[in-house]
Amino acid sequence: MSNRVPEEVVEKIRSSTDIVDIVGEYVQLTKRGRNWFGLCPFHGESTPSFSVTSDKQIFHCFGCGAGGNVITFLMDIENISFQEALSNLGGRTGIEVEVNAPGDSPNAPSKSDQQLVSMHEFAADMYHHILMNTEEGQAALDYLESRGFTKEIIEKNRIGWSLPEWNYMAKALQRKGFSDEELTTSGLAIKREQSNGFFDRFRGRIMFPIMNESGKVIAFSGRILENSKEEAKYLNSPESPIFQKSQVLYNVHQARSAIRKNRKIILFEGFMDVIAAGKAGVDNALATMGTSLTNQHIKQLKRFAQEIVICFDGDDAGWEAAKRAAIALNEEKFKVEVAVLPGKMDPDDFVREHGSEAFKEQIIGKPHAFIAFAMMHARRYKNFQYENDLLQYIQEVLQLLAGRSTPIERDLYIKQLAGETGLSEEAILQHYRKLENKSIERNRPEQPLKPAKKVVKQVTALHRAERLLFSHLMADSSVMKKVASDPTQIPFASEEFQALYVQLLGFYEEWDKADFHKFLETLQDAELRKLVMETALAERDPEHAEEEIADCLKHLEKHRVEQQITLKMQQSKEAEKQHDIKRALLLAQEAIALRKTL
């Protein structure tokens, strides 16, 4: 597959990209010595066994065996083809790579999805041009600037303006060659019911593009200039094959590097909050798209950081949403804090009223711990003069403490509860223990009849010999010429190494010299890539290469002869059962002769 792109282009992209930067966008990495470590994104684990080596530009998981270089990492993590991974990396380094075959990967974006993305990119460019360069967009531009939007913010977020005309965008898309079906599916245009043709979904609105993790536009949110009872303040794109609200986090493409640097995510309710936070210099900000935090969102968040500060609106709905999100994230072992806005303010209100510095230092810089926020939430609208309110408050707080707090946190908050309510610490602790026991019983897994034994993969002498031999073959093409002198004989016993041997033979027919990275990129099978990485990391002795190779070949030949002996003895027994004594005796004699060669 690598021959579709000139090798000098592949090498230029590979050498221009630091694997630590790319992997760091998906995995929270910590430096230890010369290597970087984190939790493997390819299998669930609680102790980091995923290693990235900067000087060798490779990654390897000691848990599941995944490994490779920066190109194969993108292929595996995004489930895309070699060319698509090259195009992705090339776009980051300013090297253009044309993707000739978008369907090479089974889960790669389909041609129809790519068409939808192209439509949204075209629309975003047109909306932005109208806002920034035409008289028709001047009123919207003035409005944005009056709200504190600088030209830099507008450019960064690709904000635009849709003309208050019925079908100028639909016509523009049709002139670009997009079909009626694509117009309908995209959500940018709506088919007329009473007559032929389409009308634009977005008319006379400030357009905020919604982008995917690669920075490509997949949807829009359009805002009217002035509040009106007749029109909704915001109008969003409908869900489509490229846009599902439950899976999209706003601003990932721009926030990734800041999140990696801060090791923390600031989570907002909506995209306008993220833009407001950006004005205040809060760059590690993400937001859901007008929907509650979902399991898909949480799964994505885990890729970036384990610490999250929730900053939702200060109204009742914001407090409730913050509590739900905090509990969901706490259940998934995130370190959760909540930044509380005063009154019923949203982030934009606060920034405009109190300034960027106050927002960054007083709100984002001083969040409340999860349990402290939960106590604040439980205390709202309660009057401790009433017994029911008092008991309900204690119950709500202790339920959250049970199973979620350390002994120190428990003592701290029970002491705080006693001070607030006037009840004794002993009485509150006793009630807490009852709730904690119930929590433990509820969450206790069913005990298996026998303790599950940890499965340890046995590395046989045969596997070691195959691995070491293949390591020499990958490192030196001249070794392959010697070993492959008999084209009818494959020296390997296992199907996996036989497949790799055939692939490596083909590789050396195209490329004269050994190149581990280049060979790795030709493999489409992720399991074979794992085996290659395991082989590449095997210790071999270049000074005694001939002796090691000879020992490996000898061991593999011995294994091949032993298999032949076993087969002939089985055939001999079968012949004996069929009363073919002559054939049974001949097969037994052949087995004995083979055994003597050992």
Side-chain angles (χ1 to χ4, degrees):
M1 190 160 185
S2 59
N3 60 358
R4 294 187 186 177
V5 179
E7 183 52 35
E8 58 270 19
V9 175
V10 178
E11 182 55 40
K12 189 176 180 182
I13 290 172
R14 198 190 292 131
S15 60
S16 307
T17 309
D18 187 353
I19 191 171
V20 176
D21 289 340
I22 301 302
V23 174
E25 294 181 2
Y26 298 85
V27 180
Q28 191 177 350
L29 296 173
T30 303
K31 194 170 187 183
R32 280 192 234 145
R34 296 171 63 187
N35 293 349
W36 297 76
F37 288 87
L39 298 175
C40 180
F42 301 112
H43 82 288
E45 61 177 7
S46 55
T47 304
S49 63
F50 182 86
S51 167
V52 182
T53 307
S54 183
D55 55 352
K56 294 182 181 178
Q57 288 292 297
I58 60 172
F59 73 93
H60 179 67
C61 176
F62 297 96
C64 70
N69 61 15
V70 67
I71 298 174
T72 64
F73 175 81
L74 268 188
M75 290 168 68
D76 290 338
I77 197 81
E78 297 286 359
N79 208 356
I80 57 178
S81 68
F82 173 78
Q83 273 191 312
E84 288 167 321
L86 265 188
S87 179
N88 184 311
L89 293 171
R92 298 164 186 254
T93 55
I95 304 168
E96 190 173 339
V97 176
E98 185 178 347
V99 180
N100 295 324
D104 286 345
S105 173
N107 291 324
S110 66
K111 188 174 180 181
S112 60
D113 285 0
Q114 289 184 333
Q115 283 286 90
L116 293 178
V117 171
S118 296
M119 294 174 77
H120 281 81
E121 281 285 311
F122 171 79
D125 288 342
M126 181 176 281
Y127 290 141
H128 184 67
H129 172 78
I130 292 169
L131 177 71
M132 301 300 289
N133 302 297
T134 69
E135 289 184 12
E136 290 91 337
Q138 190 61 49
L141 185 60
D142 292 341
Y143 173 80
L144 286 168
E145 289 177 344
S146 72
R147 300 277 298 188
F149 284 78
T150 63
K151 294 279 177 67
E152 183 184 1
I153 292 170
I154 293 170
E155 293 284 356
K156 179 182 177 182
N157 295 285
R158 298 177 68 182
I159 300 169
W161 170 249
S162 59
L163 293 174
E165 296 179 12
W166 276 100
N167 60 0
Y168 84 97
M169 180 56 71
K171 285 184 175 179
L173 289 167
Q174 286 174 323
R175 283 196 299 270
K176 288 288 290 182
F178 294 108
S179 68
D180 289 359
E181 184 182 352
E182 287 168 340
L183 257 68
T184 304
T185 306
S186 72
L188 292 168
I190 300 171
K191 192 169 181 60
R192 296 179 185 273
E193 291 184 6
Q194 304 299 328
S195 60
N196 294 330
F198 292 84
F199 63 89
D200 295 346
R201 179 178 297 275
F202 301 103
R203 304 181 304 280
R205 289 178 180 267
I206 296 171
M207 301 300 292
F208 296 90
I210 312 302
M211 287 163 260
N212 62 18
E213 290 191 21
S214 301
K216 298 293 184 183
V217 181
I218 55 173
F220 290 96
S221 184
R223 188 196 191 283
I224 56 174
L225 274 183
E226 297 296 341
N227 293 339
S228 166
K229 293 181 180 179
E230 297 177 7
E231 290 185 278
K233 186 175 180 182
Y234 285 96
L235 178 65
N236 298 324
S237 292
E239 295 209 340
S240 71
I242 59 172
F243 174 60
Q244 292 88 40
K245 287 188 289 186
S246 64
Q247 298 177 25
V248 173
L249 287 169
Y250 181 81
N251 202 42
V252 169
H253 67 294
Q254 295 189 128
R256 259 193 300 233
S257 59
I259 291 170
R260 189 169 74 246
K261 182 180 177 182
N262 291 279
R263 301 186 183 282
K264 185 182 291 186
I265 297 165
I266 313 299
L267 184 66
F268 293 97
E269 278 188 279
F271 69 89
M272 286 299 291
D273 300 332
V274 171
I275 295 173
K279 296 178 194 174
V282 179
D283 298 323
N284 53 331
L286 301 177
T288 55
M289 286 304 306
T291 182
S292 299
L293 197 66
T294 65
N295 290 332
Q296 294 99 316
H297 290 142
I298 292 173
K299 189 175 179 181
Q300 287 187 66
L301 292 169
K302 278 184 176 178
R303 289 165 37 201
F304 306 127
Q306 289 299 309
E307 293 186 32
I308 294 186
V309 175
I310 297 169
C311 184
F312 287 3
D313 291 355
D315 58 12
D316 290 346
W319 275 76
E320 293 302 325
K323 182 187 175 184
R324 288 195 302 271
I327 291 173
L329 291 165
N330 181 265
E331 295 286 352
E332 293 295 327
K333 311 303 181 190
F334 283 90
K335 180 188 174 185
V336 184
E337 296 175 310
V338 182
V340 177
L341 287 159
K344 296 185 177 181
M345 285 187 166
D346 61 27
D348 191 42
D349 294 332
F350 189 94
V351 170
R352 285 192 292 115
E353 190 168 323
H354 299 284
S356 298
E357 204 65 32
F359 179 73
K360 194 171 182 180
E361 292 185 4
Q362 296 173 23
I363 303 299
I364 301 301
K366 294 179 180 178
H368 299 270
F370 167 60
I371 298 296
F373 167 76
M375 291 178 74
M376 291 170 63
H377 180 279
R379 207 161 43 234
R380 298 177 86 227
Y381 307 128
K382 287 187 173 62
N383 185 343
F384 289 173
Q385 299 299 315
Y386 297 105
E387 183 180 322
N388 281 346
D389 280 8
L390 188 69
L391 294 176
Q392 187 181 353
Y393 172 59
I394 293 171
Q395 180 76 4
E396 285 180 25
V397 174
L398 293 184
Q399 279 181 329
L400 280 172
L401 275 175
R404 292 188 177 92
S405 57
T406 65
I408 292 174
E409 287 175 324
R410 179 199 65 195
D411 289 353
L412 174 69
Y413 292 120
I414 284 177
K415 185 173 287 188
Q416 188 174 327
L417 278 173
E420 288 177 339
T421 61
L423 298 176
S424 70
E425 290 181 36
E426 291 77 12
I428 296 173
L429 180 60
Q430 189 176 358
H431 188 55
Y432 167 81
R433 283 177 175 151
K434 286 181 182 178
L435 291 172
E436 187 176 46
N437 288 335
K438 286 181 181 178
S439 174
I440 291 169
E441 285 296 323
R442 189 167 54 249
N443 296 319
R444 180 177 289 154
E446 293 184 15
Q447 292 295 321
L449 295 175
K450 290 183 181 180
K453 292 182 179 179
K454 188 177 181 181
V455 178
V456 180
K457 185 181 176 182
Q458 296 294 324
V459 180
T460 63
L462 173 67
H463 183 79
R464 281 196 293 270
E466 288 187 305
R467 185 175 63 190
L468 185 56
L469 176 59
F470 198 79
S471 178
H472 281 288
L473 293 174
M474 274 203 308
D476 191 344
S477 60
S478 65
V479 175
M480 175 63 92
K481 288 178 182 177
K482 292 177 185 175
V483 172
S485 56
D486 181 1
T488 63
Q489 186 73 26
I490 294 180
F492 294 95
S494 66
E495 290 183 5
E496 295 88 351
F497 274 108
Q498 286 178 0
L500 283 175
Y501 177 76
V502 172
Q503 295 258 28
L504 190 59
L505 271 173
F507 177 81
Y508 280 137
E509 285 178 8
E510 187 174 354
W511 309 99
D512 289 334
K513 56 183 183 178
D515 188 324
F516 156 73
H517 285 283
K518 203 180 291 182
F519 175 61
L520 194 68
E521 292 157 5
T522 65
L523 302 173
Q524 293 301 299
D525 191 321
E527 291 303 314
L528 289 183
R529 287 202 294 270
K530 283 185 185 180
L531 195 55
V532 167
M533 277 305 300
E534 180 190 334
T535 303
L537 294 169
E539 291 188 10
R540 55 187 175 80
D541 186 355
E543 292 183 9
H544 299 91
E546 288 190 13
E547 292 94 323
E548 280 190 348
I549 293 164
D551 283 345
C552 291
L553 289 170
K554 184 178 178 182
H555 189 90
L556 289 166
E557 177 60 20
K558 179 184 176 185
H559 177 79
R560 189 180 65 80
V561 171
E562 285 173 343
Q563 283 188 314
Q564 285 185 321
I565 292 169
T566 302
L567 179 62
K568 287 186 181 297
M569 291 305 296
Q570 287 174 347
Q571 289 174 337
S572 177
K573 287 178 182 177
E574 287 297 320
E576 195 173 332
K577 284 179 184 178
Q578 294 171 9
H579 306 291
D580 190 346
I581 305 303
K582 185 176 179 181
R583 186 168 181 271
L585 185 59
L586 180 63
L587 287 165
Q589 286 173 339
E590 288 175 358
I592 292 168
L594 284 170
R595 192 172 282 118
K596 285 179 181 179
T597 66
L598 297 175

